[in-house]
Each structure stands twice: as structure tokens, then as C-alpha cells.
Amino acid sequence: AVVSTQSTGGCDPDDAFQDFSQRIKNYKKVYQTLSLELDRELTFIRVSNVTQFHINSVNSTIQSKSAYFLMNLRPHIQPTLYFTRHGETEFNMDGKIGGDSCLSENGRRYGEELGRFVREEGLSELPVWTSLMRRTLETGSYLPNTSVERYKALNELDAGQCDGLTYQQIETDYPEEFALRDLDKYNYRYPRGESYHDLCCRLEPVIMDLEKGGSVFVICHQAVLRCIVGYLLDIPVEEIPYIKIPLHTVIKIVPTAYGCEREDIKFGISSAITHRDKQSVESIEKRLIDAGINKVEESRKDKSERVIPSLEELSI
């Protein structure tokens, strides 16, 4: 790991090791260990040998969550994570969002090829996680793996009253909602539904389970995988709703010294394109005007707890 870090890239391995060893010696000269007796009045979390934790005077929610996060990290374990969306569905073919439809013919073909891939790559012993939605369960049924867990937290983002509609129908029937979502897609909440921010909060326990270590094969949904992949690759939250997660593709995430690397394994089975690119400011502004919205700055408390920024403040 030492010779593959960003700070030593391109160096001779022996020189890199010597440089790293010298750094440790220099750190030891100035480092002061927290004492459980002398520093009892301080708030701190002391981690020793990766697996030993001393938590002292933790009081706030942020401090408690920090302790929870650190105790779930397993930096000494280097798992390979496999993610895929369900196979193409009938709703995908019709351009509809949400729902709980069955796989299409191409979706079933993908399930068969996915099962073959798992067997050939020696992944049959990996635990498989799916959502509770029919399309992920049907896709997972083609895998030979016997350890299968279903997570409600892995269900697709709830589109609320827009569930089962196409984007064209939403733009026609709910032009205001359609424009507001493009304006701030991460924070926008569907009426009686969820936002990407809500989804990230819902996925927190799943992400903690991933951090505990151990390779796993996850079958879930586009928005869900955007949040998980965004977290693993440290992508800014405003870009998470636009991460490309194509159908009929296995996403392999491999940890490195300073993060993770993504590899897409495509299966060559045709499918609907469900990705929608970020829209231009001019396009959003026109649709907002057409929808009769003059003050973009107004808070949309019924849609999100956060105030939607003005066009001037928005970086697109």
C-alpha cells in the first residue's frame, strides 16, 4: 500500500518504503498519546491497533455518529464490492419511473448471463444483497449463491405521486415539480415521496455494513447505486443524481490506498437508457417561467426541508 499511495507514486519501491518509515519516526517525535487518566476531561475517540477503541465523554449526536462510523471501519480488510442494477423491466421499456414491474425478455437474459458470470468468476460463495422489489428478487434468482439477504433500505427512491409515470407525463401533468427537480435534484423531494438526500440517510446502515469489510454482491436500483457509488468514490453530493449507472452492467469497486476504483463490466445485452443528463440553466429557467414560477428563491417546504437556491447561486 505504501508504494501505491498518491504521495509516492512513480518512486522506486525501496525508496518509497524508506521515506515512509522516516515519516513515522518524525511523527513519533512530536506525537502525544491521549491519556485515559490525565485527559479524562476531554472528549475524544482513541483508536489503537485498528480494532481497539477508547471513547471518552461523547455527548452530542455528531460525536456519537463519529464513534459509530469509526467502529464500523475495517481498513485492514480489502474487500471487492460488486454492484448491479436489476435486469431491464417492462417499466424501463415504457420509460416509466418507480413501480414494481417484472423483468423484460432482455432483463431475463441479463439474469441468465449474470448467473453465468458469477459462476465463472468464482463469486458463488459471496453473500448477495437485494432490495424487496420484484425486479431485484427476480434478477437475483438466476444467481447460484445461497446466502441472500433482502434489505428494505435498498428499495428504489420513492417517487411519490409521480410513481409509474414517464418523465414526459410528469412534465405535462406537474410542470412545476418537473422544473424544481431539475433545479436542485439532490434536495428535491417528490410530493409524498423522497429526495436523494432522504435516500442517502436511509442507506446509512447499509453503507456501514459495507464498511465492516467482506466482499458482497449487491443487486438494487439506479438511484440507490448512485448514492452508494457516490459515497465510495467520494463524489460531491450535488453530482450524485447524475452518476451513470447503466442497466446490464456489473460495477466492480476495488479499494485502494487513498479511496476506491470503479470498473464497469458490460454484458452487451441491449436495454433502455434510463439516464437523464443535467439540464442547462437556460432550459430550467424557461420551464420555471412556463410553470408560472417567478421567484425561484422561495422555500419549498412541502417538497424539501432545504431552501432551493436561486439560479445565480446554482452551479451547473
Side-chain angles (χ1 to χ4, degrees):
V2 172
V3 297
S4 64
T5 60
Q6 296 171 344
S7 58
T8 59
C11 295
D12 178 79
D14 291 333
D15 292 340
F17 181 79
Q18 292 299 323
D19 175 74
F20 190 80
S21 299
Q22 187 60 45
R23 288 192 212 177
I24 299 299
K25 292 179 181 179
N26 291 334
Y27 292 152
K28 286 181 177 179
K29 295 177 183 178
V30 297
Y31 182 78
Q32 294 182 359
T33 302
L34 285 166
S35 170
L36 298 179
E37 292 75 29
L38 300 179
D39 298 315
R40 188 165 293 278
E41 75 282 0
L42 300 178
T43 295
F44 64 84
I45 303 169
R46 195 178 81 176
V47 184
S48 305
N49 300 324
V50 180
T51 57
Q52 298 176 4
F53 296 85
H54 299 277
I55 301 173
N56 189 71
S57 189
V58 168
N59 301 306
S60 71
T61 301
I62 295 297
Q63 292 170 0
S64 298
K65 283 200 168 189
S66 298
Y68 171 66
F69 176 77
L70 289 171
M71 292 177 72
N72 279 281
L73 289 178
R74 298 291 185 271
H76 57 297
I77 300 175
Q78 299 288 304
T80 299
L81 305 175
Y82 296 88
F83 301 98
T84 185
R85 291 173 65 184
H86 51 80
E88 180 192 63
T89 67
E90 295 170 358
F91 263 35
N92 293 148
M93 293 178 64
D94 295 336
K96 296 178 180 179
I97 65 173
D100 195 20
S101 64
C102 297
L103 298 184
S104 66
E105 181 179 347
N106 281 342
R108 290 189 290 273
R109 280 184 56 210
Y110 175 65
E112 293 171 355
E113 290 300 317
L114 188 63
R116 185 177 295 110
F117 168 81
V118 167
R119 286 188 289 270
E120 291 176 352
E121 294 296 317
L123 306 177
S124 301
E125 299 301 317
L126 289 186
V128 174
W129 298 355
T130 75
S131 72
L132 301 185
M133 310 299 287
R134 182 185 307 171
R135 50 194 183 272
T136 64
L137 299 178
E138 190 175 347
T139 303
S141 68
Y142 291 96
L143 273 60
N145 308 57
T146 57
S147 176
V148 180
E149 295 186 53
R150 302 175 182 180
Y151 284 79
K152 185 177 181 180
L154 287 173
N155 283 0
E156 181 61 302
L157 185 148
D158 185 354
Q161 70 181 32
C162 295
D163 187 74
L165 301 180
T166 66
Y167 283 122
Q168 291 75 17
Q169 288 173 322
I170 297 172
E171 186 174 15
T172 300
D173 298 342
Y174 306 103
E176 180 179 347
E177 302 298 334
F178 190 74
L180 287 171
R181 188 165 193 261
D182 277 343
L183 183 64
D184 186 7
K185 193 173 180 180
Y186 180 79
N187 288 308
Y188 170 83
R189 180 179 295 130
Y190 279 109
R192 298 195 293 276
E194 290 181 303
S195 66
Y196 269 91
H197 177 72
D198 296 331
L199 181 56
C200 286
C201 293
R202 166 155 58 93
L203 286 168
E204 183 178 309
V206 175
I207 290 173
M208 289 300 98
D209 283 346
L210 290 173
E211 288 284 9
K212 288 179 181 177
S215 297
V216 66
F217 203 106
V218 182
I219 304 172
C220 52
H221 308 270
Q222 179 171 250
V224 174
L225 282 181
R226 281 171 171 166
C227 295
I228 294 175
V229 170
Y231 167 80
L232 294 172
L233 300 185
D234 196 24
I235 295 173
V237 293
E238 64 271 12
E239 295 299 324
I240 284 177
Y242 303 101
I243 298 173
K244 291 186 177 181
I245 309 289
L247 286 165
H248 302 170
T249 302
V250 170
I251 298 173
K252 182 179 179 180
I253 301 291
V254 180
T256 62
Y258 277 90
C260 296
E261 292 182 352
R262 168 179 172 171
E263 177 188 353
D264 284 13
I265 303 169
K266 300 182 182 298
F267 281 65
I269 299 173
S270 63
S271 65
I273 298 175
T274 59
H275 180 83
R276 189 167 177 270
D277 291 329
K278 183 183 290 189
Q279 304 298 295
S280 67
V281 171
E282 292 76 14
S283 172
I284 298 172
E285 187 175 36
K286 181 179 184 303
R287 285 186 282 113
L288 287 170
I289 293 173
D290 292 343
I293 304 174
N294 297 319
K295 295 182 179 179
V296 180
E297 308 82 9
E298 293 180 356
S299 172
R300 302 290 298 176
K301 292 182 180 179
D302 56 327
K303 311 297 187 298
S304 172
E305 296 176 354
R306 303 181 178 206
V307 176
I308 295 173
S310 65
L311 289 173
E312 292 75 20
E313 297 170 330
L314 191 66
S315 176
I316 296 184

